[in-house]
Amino acid sequence: MKMVNQQHFLKNRKFTTWFYGYLFIAPTILAIIVLYLWPMVQSLYYSFNEVKGFQSPVFVGLDNYERLIQDTEVFGALGNTFLYALLTVPLGIFISLITAVLLNTNIKGKGIVRTLYFLPVVSAPAAVALVWKWIYNNQYGLLNQILGFFGIPGQDWLGNPKLALISIAIVGIWSMVGYNMIILIAGLQDIPRSLYESADIDGAGPVRKFFNITLPMVSPTLFFVSVTTVMGSLQVFDHIYMMLTPESPSFKSTESIVYLFFRYTFQNYNKGYGSTIVIFLLLIILALTFVQMKLQKKWVHYND
Amino acid sequence: MTNRKQGLTIVYLILLVGSIIMVFPFLWSVLTSFKTQAESLAVPLKWMPESWGFFNYKKINETLPFVNLFLNTTLMVIFRCIFSVFLAALAGYAFARLKFPLRNFFFMMVLIPMMVPGQVFILSQYLIVSKLGLLNTVTALVIPGIVSTFGTFLLRQFFLGIPNDLEEAAILDGCSIWQIFSKIMLPLTKSGLVSVGIFTALFAWKDLMWPLIVNMSVDKLTLSAGLATLIGQYSINYPELMAGSLIAIVPMIVLFLFLQKQFIEGIVTSGIKG
């Protein structure tokens, strides 16, 4: 009798658990379907349609994609985006790693330094972009005036098509270093101290310790940082939108793929082609993430 | 030993230079925000303003409806935080501690949006808001933020870290699942809840594209987006713009300074043990 009761209890408990499980995830799953999964399907669907203004979609098959692969504007924007990623990702991660390693040592005032590095991360990009735009101003900007003290001729940092993307990349690096640094510090703190102690006994110097212990041990974190940073840099929009108007002479050499998507979808109201551009970006990001996953086996060192 | 001292000096020097580069733009915008326009355009440059008047802050307040912008931003942040933290706690707990059929399948649904660039969703989200007749409202600002996939993921990590014994003891005591969740689990993940809240606030605060798309009238925008509408029109009056930028930056920095520990803990938990 008691056994039956217990079985009954357990079975009841199981169904109650199921009920609560579904109840608890229901709002989240519903919201995800409506706000994320359905929109993904819709973007994909729109990319095969012509959707102009408020008209209903007209199916055009692969027309948008054919147009895309011949569109020099798309490849220009893609080139700018890749160049931006190339300028910001390696240098940004390098600076973050160096800072993280230095701040992981036993020095005074590291709390303050961490906070200072983190300030750009918590600042609104609009505000950040405006400040930098002012610093970069070719007539009155701080940067040119400082360079002037040293007798270096000033530059039109944002107006010169050859310099504009580099100028924006500098702001990009400045904004992201703090974030990556914090993640890397966390990774560094997980490295067992005993490894360094035994290296000390073997008489290894700081450089050897860095390359033989620190780098391999922090590589999983470094991998995470590089995947997210690549993804983020391919979606660059805010700083470019704030620092350059389409009338600027250097707009063509800085417009990113997300900016192009924004212009087509929400300014020209060509939703079909805009969707094609963003699906194209999605494919590129997926491909790059896949490549990074494959490459990680060569350099990422997992302990377990 | 001197070698070690030299090394330490170099470390301090690098960090000092780095810190100066990090803070300088902020300092420069503070200084500029107190200058007259003529002072800001002076060549050679003047570091300090002649007087420390707040006239630029008054002027930008006439150019932009800052009280409205501030109110919109605050309301958006509060509502997004309430919804996303509560929903993420429920779902995160279920995914971590309750066993039910298709659990992993549903969890995959949570992971997908995290791997896809946000712009893929934005057009449909806009169409939904537009169909509901919510364009140019504060509700429009809130909508895509009512659920946080990242928060769900993060809180699941927190709940996974809680030992089993606690739950088993509660079951033996006859606690219902809701009681276990609300009385035992939630208090134990307080720091997780706070970090999801902070992250929601940060993302909402920094978002530019969404408010610019859904709200056309300036008095319905967020601080960040309101500031963005000034590009082009006010490209010359930098002291005024710097005052505006500082108004848009300061609340988040204050929040960060108070909740620094949770901020960093949130990043660390989400970043490492994926």
Side-chain angles (χ1 to χ4, degrees):
Chain A
M1 193 58 195
K2 213 175 174 189
M3 277 285 276
V4 174
N5 257 340
Q6 202 175 353
Q7 267 178 2
H8 186 73
F9 173 78
L10 284 175
K11 203 172 171 191
N12 251 342
R13 185 91 209 166
K14 190 169 128 193
F15 281 113
T16 321
T17 310
W18 289 13
F19 171 74
Y20 273 103
Y22 290 126
L23 190 73
F24 280 12
I25 66 163
T28 297
I29 293 297
L30 271 176
I32 284 176
I33 291 172
V34 174
L35 292 171
Y36 295 102
L37 299 182
W38 165 246
M40 238 170 98
V41 175
Q42 199 171 23
S43 281
L44 191 66
Y45 170 72
Y46 273 5
S47 75
F48 296 108
N49 284 269
E50 191 172 287
V51 199
K52 284 198 170 151
F54 295 98
Q55 296 158 10
S56 43
V58 181
F59 188 76
V60 292
L62 287 171
D63 281 10
N64 285 331
Y65 287 91
E66 261 172 53
R67 177 179 165 191
L68 184 96
I69 53 172
Q70 291 161 1
D71 193 338
T72 50
E73 206 184 0
V74 168
F75 283 93
L78 193 63
N80 296 337
T81 310
F82 277 144
L83 192 59
Y84 176 83
L86 216 61
L87 288 169
T88 54
V89 176
L91 198 59
I93 293 178
F94 176 74
I95 296 172
S96 314
L97 182 63
I98 296 293
T99 323
V101 169
L102 294 183
L103 284 176
N104 199 38
T105 51
N106 233 339
I107 59 161
K108 277 177 199 153
K110 57 184 173 185
I112 298 166
V113 179
R114 278 184 202 178
T115 307
L116 298 182
Y117 272 76
F118 210 73
L119 284 183
V121 181
V122 289
S123 307
V128 161
L130 279 173
V131 177
W132 277 94
K133 202 177 165 187
W134 174 220
I135 291 173
Y136 280 143
N137 183 293
N138 64 331
Q139 283 170 298
Y140 312 103
L142 179 68
L143 185 58
N144 277 351
Q145 295 221 33
I146 289 178
L147 290 178
F149 283 131
F150 300 100
I152 303 166
Q155 304 288 333
D156 189 359
W157 298 101
L158 292 169
N160 181 345
K162 284 188 184 131
L163 284 175
L165 196 65
I166 298 172
S167 307
I168 291 170
I170 290 172
V171 182
I173 294 172
W174 178 83
S175 315
M176 78 170 172
V177 160
Y179 186 82
N180 286 340
M181 175 198 77
I182 293 289
I183 301 178
L184 287 167
I185 287 177
L188 290 170
Q189 283 174 351
D190 277 354
I191 303 175
R193 288 199 161 265
S194 56
L195 287 177
Y196 292 107
E197 280 156 15
S198 37
D200 278 334
I201 294 166
D202 293 344
V207 176
R208 261 199 73 192
K209 277 193 276 189
F210 176 78
F211 283 104
N212 288 354
I213 301 171
T214 311
L215 212 52
M217 291 302 283
V218 85
S219 60
T221 317
L222 218 47
F223 174 67
F224 173 84
V225 166
S226 65
V227 170
T228 50
T229 311
V230 167
M231 247 182 110
S233 66
L234 292 178
Q235 294 175 59
V236 58
F237 167 75
D238 296 354
H239 292 153
I240 301 175
Y241 179 80
M242 288 295 299
M243 287 200 272
L244 287 154
T245 50
E247 294 80 38
S248 164
S250 45
F251 186 71
K252 272 220 144 40
S253 59
T254 50
E255 184 180 34
S256 69
I257 198 86
V258 169
Y259 200 151
L260 194 68
F261 155 77
F262 176 77
R263 277 209 300 134
Y264 267 110
T265 314
F266 296 107
Q267 290 180 339
N268 305 344
Y269 296 106
N270 192 344
K271 301 188 185 89
Y273 195 51
S275 299
T276 314
I277 294 172
V278 82
I279 293 293
F280 184 52
L281 174 69
L282 170 64
L283 293 177
I284 291 168
I285 287 181
L286 289 181
L288 276 177
T289 308
F290 181 75
V291 170
Q292 283 179 296
M293 294 288 218
K294 285 278 162 206
L295 282 179
Q296 73 159 323
K297 288 184 189 120
K298 293 210 192 295
W299 67 275
V300 179
H301 171 93
Y302 287 104
N303 222 5
D304 33 47
Chain B
M1 234 26 211
T2 41
N3 224 345
R4 194 175 162 74
K5 254 191 180 158
Q6 270 174 5
L8 212 61
T9 315
I10 293 171
V11 168
Y12 276 120
L13 213 66
I14 294 173
L15 290 176
L16 186 74
V17 172
S19 306
I20 291 172
I21 294 172
M22 285 299 160
V23 182
F24 215 79
F26 293 110
L27 278 180
W28 187 239
S29 69
V30 173
L31 291 177
T32 307
S33 76
F34 287 104
K35 288 175 187 169
T36 63
Q37 205 177 348
E39 279 177 304
S40 74
L41 302 181
V43 178
L45 86 169
K46 286 174 113 172
W47 289 98
M48 292 293 160
E50 295 264 306
S51 67
W52 295 82
F54 281 90
F55 48 90
N56 286 314
Y57 290 86
K58 280 180 195 138
K59 262 202 318 205
I60 189 82
N61 210 34
E62 286 155 23
T63 315
L64 273 182
F66 263 104
V67 178
N68 269 340
L69 295 178
F70 196 83
L71 214 66
N72 297 340
T73 315
T74 313
L75 280 175
M76 170 190 69
V77 166
I78 289 174
F79 278 112
R80 281 192 177 195
C81 281
I82 292 172
F83 277 111
S84 64
V85 171
F86 181 63
L87 296 186
L90 282 175
Y93 172 71
F95 284 126
R97 322 272 331 184
L98 301 177
K99 283 202 175 69
F100 51 88
L102 295 177
R103 183 172 71 161
N104 291 336
F105 169 77
F106 285 118
F107 188 60
M108 275 300 293
M109 283 178 148
V110 177
L111 294 182
I112 290 171
M114 288 171 67
M115 294 181 282
V116 174
Q119 298 82 27
V120 172
F121 318 116
I122 208 165
L123 172 58
S124 290
Q125 292 175 343
Y126 165 80
L127 293 174
I128 292 169
V129 170
S130 151
K131 277 210 184 99
L132 293 173
L134 292 171
L135 293 181
N136 281 316
T137 62
V138 177
T139 317
L141 298 174
V142 174
I143 280 183
I146 54 168
V147 60
S148 163
T149 53
F150 167 74
T152 309
F153 176 80
L154 190 75
L155 287 179
R156 177 178 168 269
Q157 301 290 102
F158 268 87
F159 285 119
L160 280 175
I162 296 171
N164 263 331
D165 315 8
L166 265 174
E167 209 169 1
E168 277 160 18
I171 293 171
L172 286 178
D173 286 345
C175 281
S176 74
I177 288 174
W178 175 257
Q179 281 171 328
I180 295 174
F181 169 71
S182 60
K183 298 251 164 64
I184 298 169
M185 291 299 186
L186 274 191
L188 284 174
T189 43
K190 219 187 246 161
S191 68
L193 302 176
V194 174
S195 46
V196 172
I198 298 169
F199 269 97
T200 306
L202 183 65
F203 289 144
W205 196 274
K206 296 185 77 157
D207 193 13
L208 192 61
M209 204 191 267
W210 179 253
L212 284 178
I213 290 168
V214 289
N215 288 356
M216 288 295 181
S217 58
V218 178
D219 59 338
K220 289 287 189 292
L221 285 173
T222 58
L223 275 174
S224 196
L227 204 59
T229 61
L230 294 184
I231 46 164
Q233 318 172 29
Y234 274 78
S235 52
I236 308 154
N237 198 341
Y238 273 105
E240 215 181 300
L241 283 179
M242 290 305 104
S245 300
L246 286 168
I247 297 174
I249 285 178
V250 165
M252 224 41 209
I253 289 183
V254 171
L255 190 73
F256 167 69
L257 289 177
F258 275 108
L259 300 168
Q260 207 173 5
K261 212 178 135 238
Q262 273 88 358
F263 234 126
I264 288 168
E265 199 172 307
I267 292 177
V268 171
T269 315
S270 64
I272 312 306
K273 286 129 196 156

